[in-house]
Amino acid sequence: MQRVGEVMNRQEIRKMLKTVLKEDQISEKESMKKHTSFRIGGDADFLVLPSSIAELQQLMRMLNEKQIPFFVMGNGTNLLVRDKGIRSVVIKLARNISNYGIRGTDIFAEAGLSLSALSRIILEEELTGFEFASGIPGTVGGAMVMNAGAYGGEMKDIVKSVLVMDEKGLIFEMKGEDMEFGYRTSILSKQRLLVLGATFSLEKGNRQEIQEKMDDYALRRNTKQPIQEASAGSTFKRPEGYFAGKLIEDSGLRGVSHRGAQVSQLHCGFVINKGDATCEDVLELINMIKKTVYDKFQVSLEEEVRLVGEE
Ligand SMILES: Cc1cc2nc3c(=O)[nH]c(=O)nc-3n(C[C@H](O)[C@H](O)[C@H](O)COP(=O)(O)OP(=O)(O)OC[C@H]3O[C@@H](n4cnc5c(N)ncnc54)[C@H](O)[C@@H]3O)c2cc1C
């Protein structure tokens, strides 16, 4: 991928960004610590917050025409950003692009709407099927890329279609069955498309039952996961036939620290940032965990967190 400095200097890029966005939508040299749940990462050259799909389309056309590199993110809850930061324009789609609309038992939500906010809207509509996602801290966009899931449910089960935009600003819809949803992956992991929104197909339900399910999942999450700590959720994917957390625990690694990074005491599947961890600390701890687990159980762990930024 090209880097910002290779195409234009920063001043020129700022000037170009200002042809599409207002000053307060553009941050320069923005610390990614502020935008990731891990609270780790160097500066992004630029971080921008488009306010509508139309504006995002203009932005994409401009970036494409000027060959300016970009990276799209949601809530940053599955990202590990390198210490040198990101040499591109980071496009953050979170609360800035978060409208929704309901039609019968279908609900369309824009990419930036958080799954928790969406689950509250769905509860008010007395629709069922989305409860599993209510405690996942990401956005609709991130959930499409990751096929986010929990407690036996995943996006694959409820996504009817996904509205996407390509690098040239062309908007089109993809059917749920064409999304190649797999375990914590989708077609969006290999195709460079921006998620603009998704339509979920749900069923009419009973408000109290929906609420009870959400409460049950929240209780399980609050007691079993280190949600008060800085992390990016489960560090590793679940290896077939095993649980990553159990393998790590049985390898004697509960609570093991490496500088600012630590295997959570509460849930060994989470690497947490104790406060001042660098990306390097986390990567070294991850490698140590992988090696220890492999040596003991001959099982290869694969990262679920997405590593981005300049090496
Ligand atoms: C405490 C905690 C608990 C968690 N529990 C769960 C869980 O139970 N189940 C689960 O599946 N995950 C869980 N996660 C991980 C994370 O919340 C999910 O992977 C979520 O789907 C990521 O969404 P996001 O908006 O934060 O995406 P980000 O982390 O910002 O991005 C993730 C990936 O999606 C891409 N992306 C994001 N938005 C867009 C978009 N609009 N268009 C194109 N690409 C985009 C990014 O480029 C990146 O590759 C947890 C994380 C934490 C911190």
Side-chain angles (χ1 to χ4, degrees), residues 133-146:
S134 55
I136 302 175
T139 59
V140 167
M144 294 307 107
V145 177
M146 299 302 300

Side-chain angles (χ1 to χ4, degrees), residues 14-298:
R14 175 172 269 280
K15 212 167 103 190
M16 291 315 303
L17 289 171
K18 278 172 71 178
T19 62
V20 182
L21 303 167
K22 293 193 210 75
E23 188 74 42
D24 64 359
Q25 293 172 283
I26 308 167
S27 306
E28 198 169 338
K29 288 197 178 177
E30 179 73 356
S31 171
M32 290 306 292
K33 287 184 185 159
K34 292 198 270 174
H35 298 278
T36 55
S37 55
F38 233 146
R39 290 187 222 124
I40 288 176
D43 294 349
D45 285 341
F46 290 95
L47 186 140
V48 298
L49 295 166
S51 63
S52 66
I53 289 178
E55 199 172 69
L56 177 61
Q57 190 175 35
Q58 272 183 289
L59 176 68
M60 289 312 296
R61 286 182 180 147
M62 186 280 284
L63 294 175
N64 184 59
E65 192 194 312
K66 302 290 173 196
Q67 290 291 294
I68 299 171
F70 69 90
F71 172 73
V72 192
M73 68 175 290
N75 269 347
T77 61
N78 201 47
L79 295 180
L80 176 57
V81 179
R82 288 188 186 272
D83 300 315
K84 286 189 185 163
I86 304 181
R87 301 288 72 79
S88 350
V89 173
V90 174
I91 304 171
K92 183 167 174 177
L93 303 184
R95 268 173 292 188
N96 43 328
I97 299 209
S98 57
N99 291 317
Y100 67 92
I102 299 157
R103 199 178 200 179
T105 53
D106 285 357
I107 180 160
F108 170 79
E110 285 185 351
L113 193 60
S114 72
L115 299 179
S116 58
L118 181 55
S119 67
R120 286 193 296 274
I121 294 162
I122 288 172
L123 169 70
E124 291 310 318
E125 293 300 318
E126 301 194 10
L127 295 173
T128 184
F130 199 79
E131 296 89 329
F132 74 87
S134 55
I136 302 175
T139 59
V140 167
M144 294 307 107
V145 177
M146 299 302 300
N147 184 24
Y151 307 114
E154 54 183 351
M155 290 298 142
K156 180 180 183 228
D157 306 333
I158 50 171
V159 171
K160 191 172 182 180
S161 60
V162 183
L163 192 65
V164 295
M165 185 190 284
D166 72 9
E167 291 177 72
K168 293 182 177 152
L170 187 76
I171 296 176
F172 56 97
E173 197 170 57
M174 295 178 76
K175 288 205 179 90
E177 56 264 35
D178 296 330
M179 290 298 295
E180 296 180 16
F181 285 125
Y183 176 60
R184 300 299 168 265
T185 185
S186 74
I187 196 166
L188 302 166
S189 301
K190 34 179 204 201
Q191 279 192 17
R192 204 158 157 73
L193 296 169
L194 277 72
V195 177
L196 302 178
T199 300
F200 301 93
S201 188
L202 304 167
E203 283 170 24
K204 206 71 199 154
N206 172 288
R207 193 182 200 287
Q208 195 184 334
E209 284 170 19
I210 299 166
Q211 181 73 70
E212 278 170 10
K213 241 186 190 174
M214 283 167 60
D215 290 347
D216 173 44
Y217 294 151
L219 183 70
R220 289 203 235 168
R221 212 175 260 281
N222 293 344
T223 48
K224 299 212 171 89
Q225 295 183 4
I227 54 166
Q228 309 299 342
E229 310 279 358
S231 81
S234 300
T235 310
F236 302 100
K237 293 186 180 182
R238 196 173 52 234
E240 227 174 300
Y242 300 90
F243 289 101
K246 179 89 173 69
L247 290 170
I248 296 167
E249 183 181 353
D250 293 347
S251 300
L253 297 174
R254 180 183 292 276
V256 162
S257 289
H258 176 63
R259 296 197 281 265
Q262 185 182 30
V263 174
S264 164
Q265 292 277 5
L266 191 60
H267 188 315
C268 294
F270 285 57
V271 169
I272 60 163
N273 172 6
K274 287 192 289 175
D276 58 354
T278 62
C279 178
E280 214 41 48
D281 297 345
V282 173
L283 290 177
E284 284 171 11
L285 182 59
I286 284 177
N287 286 337
M288 190 273 270
I289 295 168
K290 286 170 80 168
K291 184 175 181 318
T292 310
V293 168
Y294 189 81
D295 288 348
K296 198 161 165 72
F297 298 105
Q298 287 74 56

